[in-house]
Amino acid sequence: VAIGNQLWMAENMNRVTDGSYCYEENAANCDIYGRLYTHGAASQVCPKGWHLPDQTEFSTLVSSVGGSDYAGYLLKSTTRWVEERMSGNGSDRYSFRALPAGQRKNDGSYAKVNYDTWFWSTTTSSALSYYALHFMNIADDGYVSAVGDETANSVRCIQDN
């Protein structure tokens, strides 16, 4: 999907590779949400002509839809987000279809399906963490936060310039 001057994949990556997982090891979850990738796997999963975005590219995406206060609502899918405190599903105005894929933690447990999603970036936060674009069910915003590199999160690729 074209958003501003960027071209993004309209679905989460779902390519089998070492370091990738279906939520709770259930293949049906990969069909719905795509796979969850460790950062090492995420950095290699985008096909030729596409790449894992950096923090600046996520900032451009968020700015292109009106800023962080609106990004979650405008980029989240219209289904699957648990409604809490009068939020949850988005409008998917830009056909980005951000789904609440949850996360695989570094201890092998799973959390937050239908509540949160994180999209990996290439930008490091510290020696053991990277920035990720984060959407939650309780807010309409979208923001970049640091997550540990051994967690497994979703991947959205952006087309090379």
Side-chain angles (χ1 to χ4, degrees), residues 1-30:
V1 295
I3 302 174
N5 63 353
Q6 298 173 316
L7 191 61
W8 291 89
M9 288 194 168
E11 294 182 349
N12 295 350
M13 286 297 298
N14 191 16
R15 193 160 134 200
V16 177
T17 187
D18 288 342
S20 71
Y21 308 90
C22 293
Y23 192 90
E24 294 184 336
E25 312 304 323
N26 182 340
N29 286 328
C30 276

Side-chain angles (χ1 to χ4, degrees), residues 38-149:
T38 62
H39 194 270
S43 65
Q44 300 176 25
V45 75
C46 292
K48 184 177 171 99
W50 298 80
H51 64 273
L52 194 64
D54 63 24
Q55 184 180 1
T56 302
E57 289 167 319
F58 277 142
S59 294
T60 299
L61 170 66
V62 168
S63 294
S64 294
V65 300
S68 61
D69 290 345
Y70 309 102
Y73 180 70
L74 297 172
L75 297 174
K76 288 190 308 188
S77 65
T78 59
T79 61
R80 299 210 175 268
W81 292 86
V82 172
E83 300 280 342
E84 285 184 10
R85 295 191 281 179
M86 299 174 56
S87 193
N89 292 322
S91 71
D92 197 25
R93 181 175 182 180
Y94 293 89
S95 301
F96 189 78
R97 217 171 70 93
L99 290 164
Q103 178 180 68
R104 183 180 187 270
K105 297 181 177 187
N106 30 350
D107 66 3
S109 66
Y110 292 86
K112 300 290 189 174
V113 73
N114 298 329
Y115 289 88
D116 286 82
T117 197
W118 292 263
F119 297 105
W120 280 123
S121 84
T122 60
T123 308
T124 58
S125 166
S126 69
L128 298 175
S129 63
Y130 288 82
Y131 287 107
L133 180 61
H134 184 200
F135 298 122
M136 301 185 311
N137 71 314
I138 59 171
D140 290 336
D141 60 350
Y143 60 95
V144 177
S145 62
V147 291
D149 65 355

